[in-house]
Amino acid sequence: MKITKVETSKIDKVDFSNLPFGSVFTDHMVICDYKNGQWSEPYIKPYSELTLQPSARVFHYGQAVFEGMKAYKDSDGKIWMFRPEDNFIRINKSAARLAMPELPKEYFFQSLEALLKLESDWIKPGKGNSLYIRPFMIASDPMIAASPGEEYKFIIICSPAQSYYAGKVKVMIAQKYSRAADGGVGFAKAAGNYASQFYPTNLAKQKGFQQVIWTDANTHQFLEEAGTMNIFFRIGDKLITAPTNDRILDGVTRKSVLQIAQDKGIDCEVRPVKVAEIIEAAENNNLLEVFGTGTAAVISEVSAVGFKDKVYDLPTLDNDYASIIKNAIFEIQYNEADDPYGWRYAVD
Ligand code: COI
């Protein structure tokens, strides 16, 4: 693979003890171009601006999909990824839904591994430190007819990351807006799924909440996702989450949390979750935990849930499920425990 390195790294200018999520980028990036019906070999070049015509389709119709992944470093300086195969499968699933071409597996993995080795100094050891990896694909050809592109770019950029949220979050249950509809693109990591959340989330922020819990578009009676994450509820000792479908993202962290919870003997239910049962449980002090799961945030605990004019505060527990499961995931990700599931992926 062709690799063009930067002359001088910018790493010395970065304050690794203060990293607002997604604001600092490493020295290099991967680019892979699709033209005339095929992908050309990926290459690595210094992180820099892209040159696209203003008529590039991505700007007009949002033909864009992405992934979120992380790389970790263990105490011996070895680099690991977590279930990267799942991200590879999902980006192609998202691409197919947006009529974009399938990316070959070897291009995804070869370029990703080469990039991570090159950026090794940016991956700091220590639990909570990681390199957030953002692979994405855009339609790049100049054409404003509303039809699928004929040229695409697959790009990978990386950003050193610590936590996504500073602490627990207050979330508001959506009564009017929704994130996804039956037959739509909710299951895909389509860029537009995220842009369409910004306005309702801003309204929630004006009321003192950080995120919205999305309800189903048809009835607003079922809870589906929280902000950019999947969502779990603990009622009594039971952990409940909604099943994936064409409205809900098949989150890698979501399915890892479910697996670990079940193996720890926690009673898990994957089934539609009614707003009414969650409110009833909160009123009876039986709603013990709510947390979101995602690659960026890992597990993000909820401090309070807002519904209509009421705010339901959640208790602070010792040995809460969120902390137990998060710790078990971290131990696998940072190579501090056995990995019975084969989720860890060595980059060497
Ligand atoms: C992730 O958790 O990786 C996501 O894709 C969410 C993103 C909006 C930060």
Side-chain angles (χ1 to χ4, degrees), residues 8-39:
T8 317
S9 171
K10 52 188 186 233
I11 196 166
D12 291 340
K13 299 198 183 78
V14 176
D15 177 3
F16 280 87
S17 61
N18 177 25
L19 286 169
F21 182 87
S23 57
V24 173
F25 299 95
T26 62
D27 290 322
H28 302 92
M29 63 186 190
V30 166
I31 306 233
C32 188
D33 291 306
Y34 181 91
K35 208 174 177 171
N36 300 324
Q38 59 185 23
W39 290 101

PDB file of all heavy atoms in Angstrom, residues 8-39:
ATOM      1  N   THR A   8       6.310  16.399   9.766  1.00  0.00           N
ATOM      2  CA  THR A   8       6.384  16.605  11.216  1.00  0.00           C
ATOM      3  C   THR A   8       5.031  16.256  11.826  1.00  0.00           C
ATOM      4  O   THR A   8       3.998  16.780  11.384  1.00  0.00           O
ATOM      5  CB  THR A   8       6.663  18.102  11.532  1.00  0.00           C
ATOM      6  OG1 THR A   8       7.658  18.549  10.635  1.00  0.00           O
ATOM      7  CG2 THR A   8       7.112  18.305  12.956  1.00  0.00           C
ATOM      8  N   SER A   9       5.056  15.402  12.823  1.00  0.00           N
ATOM      9  CA  SER A   9       3.799  15.035  13.495  1.00  0.00           C
ATOM     10  C   SER A   9       3.303  16.210  14.339  1.00  0.00           C
ATOM     11  O   SER A   9       4.098  16.978  14.885  1.00  0.00           O
ATOM     12  CB  SER A   9       4.033  13.830  14.395  1.00  0.00           C
ATOM     13  OG  SER A   9       2.891  13.613  15.187  1.00  0.00           O
ATOM     14  N   LYS A  10       1.961  16.325  14.481  1.00  0.00           N
ATOM     15  CA  LYS A  10       1.419  17.381  15.343  1.00  0.00           C
ATOM     16  C   LYS A  10       1.138  16.862  16.753  1.00  0.00           C
ATOM     17  O   LYS A  10       0.571  17.573  17.584  1.00  0.00           O
ATOM     18  CB  LYS A  10       0.183  18.008  14.707  1.00  0.00           C
ATOM     19  CG  LYS A  10      -0.866  17.021  14.298  1.00  0.00           C
ATOM     20  CD  LYS A  10      -1.993  17.664  13.505  1.00  0.00           C
ATOM     21  CE  LYS A  10      -3.067  16.642  13.259  1.00  0.00           C
ATOM     22  NZ  LYS A  10      -3.506  16.414  11.950  1.00  0.00           N
ATOM     23  N   ILE A  11       1.578  15.635  17.029  1.00  0.00           N
ATOM     24  CA  ILE A  11       1.200  15.004  18.309  1.00  0.00           C
ATOM     25  C   ILE A  11       1.686  15.796  19.535  1.00  0.00           C
ATOM     26  O   ILE A  11       1.015  15.829  20.554  1.00  0.00           O
ATOM     27  CB  ILE A  11       1.706  13.534  18.358  1.00  0.00           C
ATOM     28  CG1 ILE A  11       0.996  12.761  19.475  1.00  0.00           C
ATOM     29  CG2 ILE A  11       3.210  13.444  18.483  1.00  0.00           C
ATOM     30  CD1 ILE A  11       1.157  11.263  19.394  1.00  0.00           C
ATOM     31  N   ASP A  12       2.845  16.479  19.395  1.00  0.00           N
ATOM     32  CA  ASP A  12       3.376  17.202  20.561  1.00  0.00           C
ATOM     33  C   ASP A  12       2.505  18.388  20.960  1.00  0.00           C
ATOM     34  O   ASP A  12       2.620  18.899  22.073  1.00  0.00           O
ATOM     35  CB  ASP A  12       4.797  17.704  20.271  1.00  0.00           C
ATOM     36  CG  ASP A  12       5.767  16.534  20.192  1.00  0.00           C
ATOM     37  OD1 ASP A  12       5.415  15.452  20.719  1.00  0.00           O
ATOM     38  OD2 ASP A  12       6.842  16.685  19.585  1.00  0.00           O
ATOM     39  N   LYS A  13       1.640  18.815  20.054  1.00  0.00           N
ATOM     40  CA  LYS A  13       0.782  19.978  20.370  1.00  0.00           C
ATOM     41  C   LYS A  13      -0.525  19.547  21.055  1.00  0.00           C
ATOM     42  O   LYS A  13      -1.347  20.379  21.413  1.00  0.00           O
ATOM     43  CB  LYS A  13       0.429  20.730  19.079  1.00  0.00           C
ATOM     44  CG  LYS A  13       1.637  21.276  18.346  1.00  0.00           C
ATOM     45  CD  LYS A  13       1.219  22.359  17.352  1.00  0.00           C
ATOM     46  CE  LYS A  13       2.385  22.874  16.552  1.00  0.00           C
ATOM     47  NZ  LYS A  13       2.807  21.990  15.456  1.00  0.00           N
ATOM     48  N   VAL A  14      -0.700  18.230  21.187  1.00  0.00           N
ATOM     49  CA  VAL A  14      -1.991  17.745  21.706  1.00  0.00           C
ATOM     50  C   VAL A  14      -1.936  17.524  23.218  1.00  0.00           C
ATOM     51  O   VAL A  14      -1.004  16.902  23.722  1.00  0.00           O
ATOM     52  CB  VAL A  14      -2.382  16.426  20.990  1.00  0.00           C
ATOM     53  CG1 VAL A  14      -3.668  15.849  21.571  1.00  0.00           C
ATOM     54  CG2 VAL A  14      -2.525  16.654  19.501  1.00  0.00           C
ATOM     55  N   ASP A  15      -2.947  18.040  23.924  1.00  0.00           N
ATOM     56  CA  ASP A  15      -3.060  17.825  25.360  1.00  0.00           C
ATOM     57  C   ASP A  15      -3.916  16.572  25.578  1.00  0.00           C
ATOM     58  O   ASP A  15      -5.148  16.643  25.553  1.00  0.00           O
ATOM     59  CB  ASP A  15      -3.700  19.062  26.003  1.00  0.00           C
ATOM     60  CG  ASP A  15      -3.915  18.873  27.496  1.00  0.00           C
ATOM     61  OD1 ASP A  15      -3.524  17.805  28.038  1.00  0.00           O
ATOM     62  OD2 ASP A  15      -4.488  19.780  28.121  1.00  0.00           O
ATOM     63  N   PHE A  16      -3.253  15.445  25.794  1.00  0.00           N
ATOM     64  CA  PHE A  16      -3.987  14.176  25.912  1.00  0.00           C
ATOM     65  C   PHE A  16      -4.767  14.068  27.226  1.00  0.00           C
ATOM     66  O   PHE A  16      -5.530  13.144  27.406  1.00  0.00           O
ATOM     67  CB  PHE A  16      -3.030  12.985  25.742  1.00  0.00           C
ATOM     68  CG  PHE A  16      -2.708  12.696  24.297  1.00  0.00           C
ATOM     69  CD1 PHE A  16      -1.662  13.359  23.663  1.00  0.00           C
ATOM     70  CD2 PHE A  16      -3.453  11.801  23.556  1.00  0.00           C
ATOM     71  CE1 PHE A  16      -1.369  13.121  22.323  1.00  0.00           C
ATOM     72  CE2 PHE A  16      -3.180  11.555  22.217  1.00  0.00           C
ATOM     73  CZ  PHE A  16      -2.135  12.217  21.598  1.00  0.00           C
ATOM     74  N   SER A  17      -4.545  15.026  28.136  1.00  0.00           N
ATOM     75  CA  SER A  17      -5.303  14.948  29.385  1.00  0.00           C
ATOM     76  C   SER A  17      -6.609  15.736  29.261  1.00  0.00           C
ATOM     77  O   SER A  17      -7.432  15.754  30.162  1.00  0.00           O
ATOM     78  CB  SER A  17      -4.468  15.502  30.534  1.00  0.00           C
ATOM     79  OG  SER A  17      -4.182  16.855  30.263  1.00  0.00           O
ATOM     80  N   ASN A  18      -6.783  16.408  28.128  1.00  0.00           N
ATOM     81  CA  ASN A  18      -8.001  17.215  27.950  1.00  0.00           C
ATOM     82  C   ASN A  18      -8.422  17.111  26.486  1.00  0.00           C
ATOM     83  O   ASN A  18      -8.031  17.926  25.664  1.00  0.00           O
ATOM     84  CB  ASN A  18      -7.678  18.667  28.345  1.00  0.00           C
ATOM     85  CG  ASN A  18      -8.861  19.573  28.121  1.00  0.00           C
ATOM     86  OD1 ASN A  18     -10.012  19.130  28.130  1.00  0.00           O
ATOM     87  ND2 ASN A  18      -8.590  20.846  27.871  1.00  0.00           N
ATOM     88  N   LEU A  19      -9.205  16.085  26.200  1.00  0.00           N
ATOM     89  CA  LEU A  19      -9.572  15.826  24.801  1.00  0.00           C
ATOM     90  C   LEU A  19     -11.087  15.894  24.636  1.00  0.00           C
ATOM     91  O   LEU A  19     -11.782  14.906  24.879  1.00  0.00           O
ATOM     92  CB  LEU A  19      -9.110  14.423  24.400  1.00  0.00           C
ATOM     93  CG  LEU A  19      -7.627  14.184  24.153  1.00  0.00           C
ATOM     94  CD1 LEU A  19      -7.354  12.684  24.029  1.00  0.00           C
ATOM     95  CD2 LEU A  19      -7.164  14.905  22.893  1.00  0.00           C
ATOM     96  N   PRO A  20     -11.611  17.044  24.232  1.00  0.00           N
ATOM     97  CA  PRO A  20     -13.050  17.057  23.937  1.00  0.00           C
ATOM     98  C   PRO A  20     -13.328  16.069  22.797  1.00  0.00           C
ATOM     99  O   PRO A  20     -12.561  16.045  21.828  1.00  0.00           O
ATOM    100  CB  PRO A  20     -13.319  18.495  23.496  1.00  0.00           C
ATOM    101  CG  PRO A  20     -12.086  19.266  23.850  1.00  0.00           C
ATOM    102  CD  PRO A  20     -10.957  18.296  23.928  1.00  0.00           C
ATOM    103  N   PHE A  21     -14.361  15.254  22.903  1.00  0.00           N
ATOM    104  CA  PHE A  21     -14.551  14.168  21.935  1.00  0.00           C
ATOM    105  C   PHE A  21     -14.617  14.694  20.497  1.00  0.00           C
ATOM    106  O   PHE A  21     -15.334  15.646  20.190  1.00  0.00           O
ATOM    107  CB  PHE A  21     -15.847  13.396  22.244  1.00  0.00           C
ATOM    108  CG  PHE A  21     -16.050  12.250  21.291  1.00  0.00           C
ATOM    109  CD1 PHE A  21     -15.484  11.015  21.548  1.00  0.00           C
ATOM    110  CD2 PHE A  21     -16.768  12.420  20.120  1.00  0.00           C
ATOM    111  CE1 PHE A  21     -15.635   9.965  20.651  1.00  0.00           C
ATOM    112  CE2 PHE A  21     -16.922  11.377  19.211  1.00  0.00           C
ATOM    113  CZ  PHE A  21     -16.348  10.151  19.483  1.00  0.00           C
ATOM    114  N   GLY A  22     -13.843  14.055  19.630  1.00  0.00           N
ATOM    115  CA  GLY A  22     -13.977  14.291  18.189  1.00  0.00           C
ATOM    116  C   GLY A  22     -13.411  15.592  17.661  1.00  0.00           C
ATOM    117  O   GLY A  22     -13.787  16.026  16.568  1.00  0.00           O
ATOM    118  N   SER A  23     -12.509  16.213  18.402  1.00  0.00           N
ATOM    119  CA  SER A  23     -12.037  17.533  17.955  1.00  0.00           C
ATOM    120  C   SER A  23     -10.579  17.537  17.505  1.00  0.00           C
ATOM    121  O   SER A  23     -10.117  18.494  16.910  1.00  0.00           O
ATOM    122  CB  SER A  23     -12.228  18.547  19.078  1.00  0.00           C
ATOM    123  OG  SER A  23     -11.539  18.089  20.219  1.00  0.00           O
ATOM    124  N   VAL A  24      -9.851  16.468  17.801  1.00  0.00           N
ATOM    125  CA  VAL A  24      -8.428  16.403  17.444  1.00  0.00           C
ATOM    126  C   VAL A  24      -8.239  15.218  16.509  1.00  0.00           C
ATOM    127  O   VAL A  24      -8.772  14.133  16.774  1.00  0.00           O
ATOM    128  CB  VAL A  24      -7.569  16.195  18.722  1.00  0.00           C
ATOM    129  CG1 VAL A  24      -6.118  15.943  18.378  1.00  0.00           C
ATOM    130  CG2 VAL A  24      -7.711  17.384  19.660  1.00  0.00           C
ATOM    131  N   PHE A  25      -7.498  15.393  15.451  1.00  0.00           N
ATOM    132  CA  PHE A  25      -7.322  14.306  14.480  1.00  0.00           C
ATOM    133  C   PHE A  25      -5.851  13.960  14.317  1.00  0.00           C
ATOM    134  O   PHE A  25      -4.976  14.821  14.485  1.00  0.00           O
ATOM    135  CB  PHE A  25      -7.986  14.690  13.146  1.00  0.00           C
ATOM    136  CG  PHE A  25      -9.454  14.899  13.347  1.00  0.00           C
ATOM    137  CD1 PHE A  25      -9.965  16.169  13.580  1.00  0.00           C
ATOM    138  CD2 PHE A  25     -10.307  13.811  13.431  1.00  0.00           C
ATOM    139  CE1 PHE A  25     -11.309  16.351  13.861  1.00  0.00           C
ATOM    140  CE2 PHE A  25     -11.649  13.986  13.715  1.00  0.00           C
ATOM    141  CZ  PHE A  25     -12.155  15.257  13.931  1.00  0.00           C
ATOM    142  N   THR A  26      -5.593  12.697  14.020  1.00  0.00           N
ATOM    143  CA  THR A  26      -4.198  12.227  13.947  1.00  0.00           C
ATOM    144  C   THR A  26      -3.543  12.726  12.660  1.00  0.00           C
ATOM    145  O   THR A  26      -4.131  13.493  11.904  1.00  0.00           O
ATOM    146  CB  THR A  26      -4.154  10.685  14.009  1.00  0.00           C
ATOM    147  OG1 THR A  26      -4.857  10.164  12.874  1.00  0.00           O
ATOM    148  CG2 THR A  26      -4.779  10.153  15.294  1.00  0.00           C
ATOM    149  N   ASP A  27      -2.326  12.283  12.410  1.00  0.00           N
ATOM    150  CA  ASP A  27      -1.526  12.843  11.301  1.00  0.00           C
ATOM    151  C   ASP A  27      -1.931  12.340   9.921  1.00  0.00           C
ATOM    152  O   ASP A  27      -1.673  13.003   8.927  1.00  0.00           O
ATOM    153  CB  ASP A  27      -0.049  12.477  11.513  1.00  0.00           C
ATOM    154  CG  ASP A  27       0.552  13.224  12.697  1.00  0.00           C
ATOM    155  OD1 ASP A  27       0.213  14.408  12.872  1.00  0.00           O
ATOM    156  OD2 ASP A  27       1.348  12.621  13.440  1.00  0.00           O
ATOM    157  N   HIS A  28      -2.526  11.138   9.870  1.00  0.00           N
ATOM    158  CA  HIS A  28      -2.740  10.522   8.547  1.00  0.00           C
ATOM    159  C   HIS A  28      -4.190  10.079   8.343  1.00  0.00           C
ATOM    160  O   HIS A  28      -4.952   9.990   9.308  1.00  0.00           O
ATOM    161  CB  HIS A  28      -1.820   9.292   8.386  1.00  0.00           C
ATOM    162  CG  HIS A  28      -0.379   9.627   8.539  1.00  0.00           C
ATOM    163  ND1 HIS A  28       0.274   9.558   9.747  1.00  0.00           N
ATOM    164  CD2 HIS A  28       0.538  10.058   7.629  1.00  0.00           C
ATOM    165  CE1 HIS A  28       1.533   9.933   9.584  1.00  0.00           C
ATOM    166  NE2 HIS A  28       1.720  10.241   8.310  1.00  0.00           N
ATOM    167  N   MET A  29      -4.522   9.766   7.108  1.00  0.00           N
ATOM    168  CA  MET A  29      -5.849   9.215   6.815  1.00  0.00           C
ATOM    169  C   MET A  29      -5.762   8.228   5.655  1.00  0.00           C
ATOM    170  O   MET A  29      -4.805   8.265   4.867  1.00  0.00           O
ATOM    171  CB  MET A  29      -6.826  10.334   6.480  1.00  0.00           C
ATOM    172  CG  MET A  29      -6.500  11.138   5.233  1.00  0.00           C
ATOM    173  SD  MET A  29      -7.702  12.497   5.156  1.00  0.00           S
ATOM    174  CE  MET A  29      -7.415  13.166   3.561  1.00  0.00           C
ATOM    175  N   VAL A  30      -6.760   7.363   5.587  1.00  0.00           N
ATOM    176  CA  VAL A  30      -6.852   6.402   4.475  1.00  0.00           C
ATOM    177  C   VAL A  30      -7.809   6.974   3.432  1.00  0.00           C
ATOM    178  O   VAL A  30      -8.834   7.545   3.795  1.00  0.00           O
ATOM    179  CB  VAL A  30      -7.427   5.053   4.979  1.00  0.00           C
ATOM    180  CG1 VAL A  30      -7.856   4.171   3.814  1.00  0.00           C
ATOM    181  CG2 VAL A  30      -6.442   4.339   5.882  1.00  0.00           C
ATOM    182  N   ILE A  31      -7.473   6.781   2.176  1.00  0.00           N
ATOM    183  CA  ILE A  31      -8.413   7.140   1.097  1.00  0.00           C
ATOM    184  C   ILE A  31      -8.497   5.969   0.123  1.00  0.00           C
ATOM    185  O   ILE A  31      -7.476   5.350  -0.217  1.00  0.00           O
ATOM    186  CB  ILE A  31      -7.954   8.378   0.299  1.00  0.00           C
ATOM    187  CG1 ILE A  31      -7.699   9.553   1.236  1.00  0.00           C
ATOM    188  CG2 ILE A  31      -8.960   8.702  -0.812  1.00  0.00           C
ATOM    189  CD1 ILE A  31      -8.390  10.828   0.918  1.00  0.00           C
ATOM    190  N   CYS A  32      -9.717   5.671  -0.304  1.00  0.00           N
ATOM    191  CA  CYS A  32      -9.926   4.618  -1.294  1.00  0.00           C
ATOM    192  C   CYS A  32     -10.989   5.143  -2.253  1.00  0.00           C
ATOM    193  O   CYS A  32     -12.055   5.593  -1.809  1.00  0.00           O
ATOM    194  CB  CYS A  32     -10.401   3.366  -0.543  1.00  0.00           C
ATOM    195  SG  CYS A  32     -10.509   1.902  -1.541  1.00  0.00           S
ATOM    196  N   ASP A  33     -10.707   5.144  -3.523  1.00  0.00           N
ATOM    197  CA  ASP A  33     -11.613   5.750  -4.512  1.00  0.00           C
ATOM    198  C   ASP A  33     -12.346   4.693  -5.321  1.00  0.00           C
ATOM    199  O   ASP A  33     -11.756   3.680  -5.710  1.00  0.00           O
ATOM    200  CB  ASP A  33     -10.818   6.637  -5.475  1.00  0.00           C
ATOM    201  CG  ASP A  33     -10.281   7.871  -4.783  1.00  0.00           C
ATOM    202  OD1 ASP A  33     -11.085   8.588  -4.164  1.00  0.00           O
ATOM    203  OD2 ASP A  33      -9.055   8.088  -4.822  1.00  0.00           O
ATOM    204  N   TYR A  34     -13.592   4.980  -5.602  1.00  0.00           N
ATOM    205  CA  TYR A  34     -14.418   4.091  -6.433  1.00  0.00           C
ATOM    206  C   TYR A  34     -14.794   4.830  -7.706  1.00  0.00           C
ATOM    207  O   TYR A  34     -15.315   5.946  -7.668  1.00  0.00           O
ATOM    208  CB  TYR A  34     -15.683   3.722  -5.670  1.00  0.00           C
ATOM    209  CG  TYR A  34     -16.620   2.799  -6.404  1.00  0.00           C
ATOM    210  CD1 TYR A  34     -16.516   1.412  -6.269  1.00  0.00           C
ATOM    211  CD2 TYR A  34     -17.626   3.314  -7.219  1.00  0.00           C
ATOM    212  CE1 TYR A  34     -17.393   0.568  -6.937  1.00  0.00           C
ATOM    213  CE2 TYR A  34     -18.499   2.468  -7.892  1.00  0.00           C
ATOM    214  CZ  TYR A  34     -18.377   1.100  -7.738  1.00  0.00           C
ATOM    215  OH  TYR A  34     -19.243   0.263  -8.389  1.00  0.00           O
ATOM    216  N   LYS A  35     -14.474   4.219  -8.845  1.00  0.00           N
ATOM    217  CA  LYS A  35     -14.739   4.848 -10.144  1.00  0.00           C
ATOM    218  C   LYS A  35     -14.896   3.735 -11.170  1.00  0.00           C
ATOM    219  O   LYS A  35     -14.265   2.688 -11.043  1.00  0.00           O
ATOM    220  CB  LYS A  35     -13.503   5.699 -10.502  1.00  0.00           C
ATOM    221  CG  LYS A  35     -13.782   6.869 -11.360  1.00  0.00           C
ATOM    222  CD  LYS A  35     -12.521   7.722 -11.520  1.00  0.00           C
ATOM    223  CE  LYS A  35     -12.836   8.853 -12.461  1.00  0.00           C
ATOM    224  NZ  LYS A  35     -11.799   9.831 -12.536  1.00  0.00           N
ATOM    225  N   ASN A  36     -15.677   3.972 -12.187  1.00  0.00           N
ATOM    226  CA  ASN A  36     -15.873   2.989 -13.262  1.00  0.00           C
ATOM    227  C   ASN A  36     -16.205   1.595 -12.722  1.00  0.00           C
ATOM    228  O   ASN A  36     -15.683   0.577 -13.196  1.00  0.00           O
ATOM    229  CB  ASN A  36     -14.632   2.901 -14.168  1.00  0.00           C
ATOM    230  CG  ASN A  36     -14.332   4.243 -14.816  1.00  0.00           C
ATOM    231  OD1 ASN A  36     -15.265   4.968 -15.157  1.00  0.00           O
ATOM    232  ND2 ASN A  36     -13.067   4.581 -14.960  1.00  0.00           N
ATOM    233  N   GLY A  37     -17.016   1.577 -11.677  1.00  0.00           N
ATOM    234  CA  GLY A  37     -17.503   0.295 -11.173  1.00  0.00           C
ATOM    235  C   GLY A  37     -16.528  -0.480 -10.314  1.00  0.00           C
ATOM    236  O   GLY A  37     -16.780  -1.634  -9.972  1.00  0.00           O
ATOM    237  N   GLN A  38     -15.391   0.137  -9.935  1.00  0.00           N
ATOM    238  CA  GLN A  38     -14.511  -0.608  -9.015  1.00  0.00           C
ATOM    239  C   GLN A  38     -13.712   0.282  -8.067  1.00  0.00           C
ATOM    240  O   GLN A  38     -13.477   1.451  -8.356  1.00  0.00           O
ATOM    241  CB  GLN A  38     -13.580  -1.530  -9.782  1.00  0.00           C
ATOM    242  CG  GLN A  38     -12.690  -0.840 -10.761  1.00  0.00           C
ATOM    243  CD  GLN A  38     -11.903  -1.865 -11.559  1.00  0.00           C
ATOM    244  OE1 GLN A  38     -12.305  -3.015 -11.672  1.00  0.00           O
ATOM    245  NE2 GLN A  38     -10.775  -1.449 -12.108  1.00  0.00           N
ATOM    246  N   TRP A  39     -13.347  -0.336  -6.947  1.00  0.00           N
ATOM    247  CA  TRP A  39     -12.513   0.352  -5.958  1.00  0.00           C
ATOM    248  C   TRP A  39     -11.057   0.238  -6.386  1.00  0.00           C
ATOM    249  O   TRP A  39     -10.610  -0.826  -6.803  1.00  0.00           O
ATOM    250  CB  TRP A  39     -12.665  -0.302  -4.581  1.00  0.00           C
ATOM    251  CG  TRP A  39     -14.002  -0.078  -3.951  1.00  0.00           C
ATOM    252  CD1 TRP A  39     -15.038  -0.964  -3.905  1.00  0.00           C
ATOM    253  CD2 TRP A  39     -14.452   1.100  -3.277  1.00  0.00           C
ATOM    254  NE1 TRP A  39     -16.111  -0.414  -3.253  1.00  0.00           N
ATOM    255  CE2 TRP A  39     -15.779   0.864  -2.844  1.00  0.00           C
ATOM    256  CE3 TRP A  39     -13.880   2.345  -2.987  1.00  0.00           C
ATOM    257  CZ2 TRP A  39     -16.523   1.801  -2.156  1.00  0.00           C
ATOM    258  CZ3 TRP A  39     -14.628   3.288  -2.290  1.00  0.00           C
ATOM    259  CH2 TRP A  39     -15.936   3.016  -1.889  1.00  0.00           C
TER     260      TRP A  39
END
